[in-house]
Amino acid sequence: MKTIADPSRILADELAAIRGAFQVPEGFPPAVQAAAERAATRTPTDHADWTDRPFVTLDPTGSTDLDQAFAIDTDGNAFVLHYAIADIGWFVDPDGPIATEAWRRGETLYLPDGKASLYPPVLSQGAASLLPDGPRPAVVFSIRGDAEGAVTLDTVTRAVIHSRAKLAYASVTDADLPPGFAALTDRLIRAEAARGAARIDPPEQEVAHDADGRLTLTFRNRHASEDRNAALSLACNIAVARLLMAHGTGLFRVMDEPDDRAVARLRLTARALGIDWPGSATLSQVERTLDPADPRHATLMLAIRRAGNGASYRAFAMGETPWHAAVAAPYAHATAPLRRLADRYVVEAALAVANGRTVPAHVAAAFPRLPKVMARADSRAGQIDRAVIGMAEAALLSGREGECFEAVVTGVAARGADVQLCTLPVTARLDPAGLTPGDRVAVKLTGADVARRSIAFALMP
């Protein structure tokens, strides 16, 4: 869960309760930890030597589970992105205890006070992480980007790399980055817009105290380097998807467009927040105008992310095109294998087919099983996400019982009317009697229970 942070541990007790309620694992079983410690001593033997290339990483400050590093070459008017992905597959035996535990977890779970990693830290934050403290094994995707931002995958190489620098979004400068980084990412971002992709990555919310000592939710500034870095990852994942589709194998991330009802609700949310949405503008057109530095826009970005039909995984099937509406292209998850189980298998498959080899049997067998496992992991992460949001909203409003707020009704159903508060990034539910979507209403806070992670409002006459 990445949308809310609690750096001052204001909600430590409540977060401990959420960890218990959702059985968030603490540490790893002894057999898994012992296997990971043994695996961490493995020396790469099937890897080319790419330690002379100037790779760097770019991540949030303090991150230690570094999945990606990159270097950039020029070739005439084209750029070649060498995108190195942590080679966790080198350390994990397909049928060993590390793999078994990873299948049980599915993905890293994020909470405001820390994470429960997919793999033991001795690997995910040590031997397999692309840290700059020594050579690391990686799988390098060499991707060619032309003048229009179209990408093709040249080669996939198992290599040892040595990152030159651990760069952070908040402090990186242009001089720190490889030559060509800005030009390449500009091309990739323009190509996203040209094909109608939606770029919705809202900034994190943070629990803090305001000037009056009350709890509040603030939005952390989102840095331009984050969007540029995301463009590299997206380009790699699209190129990998094309490679796997061409060879009749793989696992893909798919998502439908938000339906008309969801878009209508988002229009009303925009109205509540005072954001202009012209009648002729599509959702994707509006998305590209949103500025995450504006709290109102950031709130709408959060609403858009939560309003979609939900992304899922799908194994390759002959005659089907796995489509991801937000990306506006076929798309595979390959760039975060330290944090998502599925990525490790996608990387292994891409490495095989790009080099004229058959996909390993354990990888091919995993693809039809992974959608269910990843759906369960995503569902658990989503439940934790919603619990943390409910807790944070209740904490934000605790002590303000009896206070009135302006809101707009964004939807009405038998279970209740949903409203968006106009001045806070909070949604609530009311008795639906007599309400219709679009109504502007006044509501009074009648309860805020942090322990139960619930808030209650009543309609003002």
Side-chain angles (χ1 to χ4, degrees):
M1 205 291 297
K2 300 181 180 180
T3 55
I4 296 177
D6 184 20
S8 300
R9 297 183 63 81
I10 296 169
L11 301 172
D13 291 343
E14 290 77 12
L15 287 169
I18 289 175
R19 287 177 172 273
F22 292 97
Q23 298 180 329
V24 176
E26 295 184 12
F28 286 83
V32 177
Q33 183 64 34
E37 290 171 359
R38 291 193 298 271
T41 66
R42 291 180 180 172
T43 301
T45 57
D46 294 344
H47 298 68
D49 184 356
W50 281 36
T51 54
D52 61 332
R53 296 178 183 248
F55 283 94
V56 297
T57 61
L58 181 57
D59 294 275
T61 303
S63 293
T64 52
D65 49 348
L66 308 185
D67 289 286
Q68 309 128 14
F70 56 90
I72 299 172
D73 290 334
T74 57
D75 184 5
N77 197 33
F79 289 101
V80 179
L81 167 67
H82 301 293
Y83 209 54
I85 305 301
D87 192 5
I88 186 66
W90 178 253
F91 297 96
V92 178
D93 295 328
D95 299 317
I98 304 172
T100 299
E101 181 67 11
W103 275 81
R104 188 177 72 83
R105 298 186 179 214
E107 63 185 60
T108 295
L109 295 174
Y110 292 90
L111 286 94
D113 59 348
K115 61 192 174 188
S117 297
L118 176 63
Y119 296 104
V122 68
L123 294 177
S124 61
Q125 300 175 53
S129 178
L130 302 182
L131 293 160
D133 58 358
R136 293 290 196 279
V139 176
V140 183
F141 294 89
S142 295
I143 300 156
R144 186 174 301 270
D146 68 14
E148 303 303 319
V151 295
T152 54
L153 185 58
D154 280 357
T155 60
V156 185
T157 308
R158 207 162 213 162
V160 174
I161 70 162
H162 192 165
S163 172
R164 298 295 194 269
K166 180 179 179 293
L167 306 176
Y169 295 137
S171 58
V172 68
T173 67
D174 289 344
D176 298 326
L177 292 160
F181 176 80
L184 172 59
T185 54
D186 279 345
R187 292 181 184 183
L188 296 176
I189 291 170
R190 287 198 302 270
E192 291 174 26
R195 68 173 184 268
R199 178 176 281 275
I200 287 297
D201 202 353
E204 291 180 352
Q205 290 175 282
E206 183 173 293
V207 181
H209 285 109
D210 65 15
D212 297 325
R214 296 188 306 189
L215 288 179
T216 185
L217 283 172
T218 61
F219 286 100
R220 179 185 63 79
N221 290 335
R222 183 171 174 83
H223 304 281
S225 57
E226 295 179 65
D227 291 328
R228 291 185 177 278
N229 196 42
L232 300 183
S233 180
L234 184 65
C236 181
N237 285 327
I238 289 174
V240 170
R242 290 173 180 165
L243 170 71
L244 296 179
M245 289 176 63
H247 288 80
T249 187
L251 183 74
F252 303 89
R253 191 68 164 162
V254 297
M255 188 177 76
D256 294 333
E257 293 277 3
D259 59 27
D260 291 343
R261 183 178 178 184
V263 173
R265 290 168 62 93
L266 289 169
R267 282 184 176 273
L268 295 172
T269 300
R271 182 192 301 179
L273 297 169
I275 298 171
D276 183 46
W277 186 333
S280 60
T282 65
L283 174 60
S284 61
Q285 289 170 336
V286 171
E287 288 170 334
R288 288 194 289 274
T289 69
L290 298 178
D291 178 5
D294 184 326
R296 298 173 305 125
H297 289 204
T299 299
L300 181 58
M301 293 171 76
L302 286 174
I304 292 170
R305 168 169 281 186
R306 295 164 185 164
N309 295 320
S312 60
Y313 289 90
R314 184 180 302 165
F316 176 84
M318 191 65 68
E320 294 183 6
T321 299
W323 192 255
H324 195 292
V327 176
Y331 178 69
H333 269 167
T335 55
L338 298 180
R339 291 169 281 166
R340 292 186 301 243
L341 173 66
D343 295 43
R344 171 160 59 93
Y345 293 90
V346 171
V347 169
E348 292 282 356
L351 180 64
V353 300
N355 290 283
R357 300 193 300 269
T358 301
V359 174
H362 75 277
V363 174
F367 285 148
R369 298 171 53 210
L370 279 166
K372 183 176 180 180
V373 172
M374 296 307 296
R376 184 174 66 243
D378 283 347
S379 175
R380 185 187 192 189
Q383 290 173 335
I384 293 171
D385 187 359
R386 289 187 291 275
V388 171
I389 291 168
M391 173 204 65
E393 290 181 346
L396 168 66
L397 293 168
S398 180
R400 301 177 69 172
E401 290 83 354
E403 191 171 335
C404 295
F405 301 85
E406 278 192 90
V408 170
V409 178
T410 58
V412 176
R415 68 182 184 277
D418 294 323
V419 299
Q420 169 72 54
L421 300 193
C422 296
T423 57
L424 292 172
V426 173
T427 59
R429 183 162 290 170
L430 302 173
D431 183 332
L435 296 177
T436 57
D439 286 348
R440 185 172 287 271
V441 296
V443 297
K444 181 172 70 174
L445 179 67
T446 59
D449 190 324
V450 179
R452 295 189 177 187
R453 305 185 286 276
S454 66
I455 54 177
F457 288 86
L459 184 67
M460 295 291 290

